[in-house]
Amino acid sequence: MSADHDRTGDAVPIDELLSERRHLLDVAFRLLGSRSEAEDVVQETYTRWSQLDDDERAAIRNPAAWMTTVASRVALSILDSARHRRERYVGEWLPKPLPGSPLTGSDPLDPLDRITLDESVSMALLVVLESLTPAERVAFVLHDVFGLPFAEIAGIVGRSPDAARQLASSARRHVRDRRQGAAAPAQHTEVVRAFREAARTGDLAGLTRLLDPDVTAISDGGGRIRAALRPVRGADRVGRFLVGALSKRPAMVVEERQVNGETGLVFRSEGEGVGVVTLAVLAGRIHDVWLMLNPEKLGAWSAAERGPSAASHSGSLCRRDE
């Protein structure tokens, strides 16, 4: 944990309590896959601390651990309700893509408001985590990512330590099965660039060669923009789907950017961010394509936030024969 002090709560300086914000945000985001929901969890955690009386704070020997526990319980409650909300979501639901680095010369976020970007927030892992039960996700994230002991996790998920261990083990197997053969960062970037070039030129044959025979493409339009309501499966169908979709907007510009800590692509039309594409590369081929098209989830990629280096990595999606 980020602060391992062992003192009574009323003796902890306020700046030390506030310094836990970054850690709490990291925990909540990995549990929920949503920046806005993670911020709500952190705010609720501090609100609950402020509502304690002096005796209650004095009884807390490790305020940092207390805050992590509270944040995790709040996130677990949100996960339980999110399943019902997403059943009513129009089409497929994907986590909101995060910029991998500041998009402007001056970063507007305070250091404590930034989410630490590493492989545990990759789109591939977040999508797998969405397939777990809420209790499995909490047990896995808290133990495997943040190293919390199962005795503490048990109290958060309302199970015995052995049951919490089993939850994490089941989640770990699921993650391992879905992520076996994942490309190293350099190979991932190489495949993303090849994908971008094939898409830019409308090269269906070249694009199809990059795709795993069992590739799946998932689009999230949120009912606000036209998108495939169901997954598209198979190399030929996915290749045609992608080339067909891109050919309808030939002036589209694609930028290579860091998305959730790994190389991805941002699509712009008339300067506005209209889509973010992330890929899962397994055994050298693209196994999953995730297309974020929902405008409500693309705010971080608006034209006003374009980085000065974007132009060097961008190119028109016009076909060469146009």
Side-chain angles (χ1 to χ4, degrees), residues 213-231:
D214 297 322
V215 64
T216 299
I218 294 177
S219 309
D220 180 342
R224 291 166 175 78
I225 193 168
R226 187 173 182 180
L229 296 179
R230 296 181 179 82

Side-chain angles (χ1 to χ4, degrees), residues 97-121:
L98 282 179
S101 58
L103 293 183
T104 59
S106 59
D107 185 357
L109 292 180
D110 182 278
L112 297 181
D113 290 325
R114 300 182 193 132
I115 293 171
T116 302
L117 298 176
D118 55 31
E119 62 181 9
S120 68
V121 296

Side-chain angles (χ1 to χ4, degrees), residues 1 7 14 25 41 46 70-71 87 94 110-111 144-145 165 190 196 206 221 235-236 273 278 307:
M1 296 179 59
R7 64 178 93 172
I14 187 63
L25 191 61
V41 165
Y46 279 104
V70 170
E87 288 175 358
L94 290 172
D110 182 278
D144 286 42
V145 179
R165 186 186 305 275
E190 181 181 350
R196 172 177 169 268
D236 183 67
T278 47

Side-chain angles (χ1 to χ4, degrees), residues 1 27 39 63 95 103 108 130 144 195 216 237 270:
M1 296 179 59
V27 170
E39 290 174 338
L103 293 183
E130 284 295 320
D144 286 42
F195 175 92
T216 299
R237 292 187 65 197
E270 299 180 352

Side-chain angles (χ1 to χ4, degrees), residues 52 56 106 118 123:
L52 299 175
E56 289 171 326
S106 59
D118 55 31
M123 187 63 69

Side-chain angles (χ1 to χ4, degrees), residues 42-58:
V42 174
Q43 182 61 42
E44 176 64 18
T45 300
Y46 279 104
T47 296
R48 294 190 184 188
W49 174 268
S50 70
Q51 291 172 342
L52 299 175
D53 60 34
D54 290 342
D55 290 340
E56 289 171 326
R57 292 181 186 174

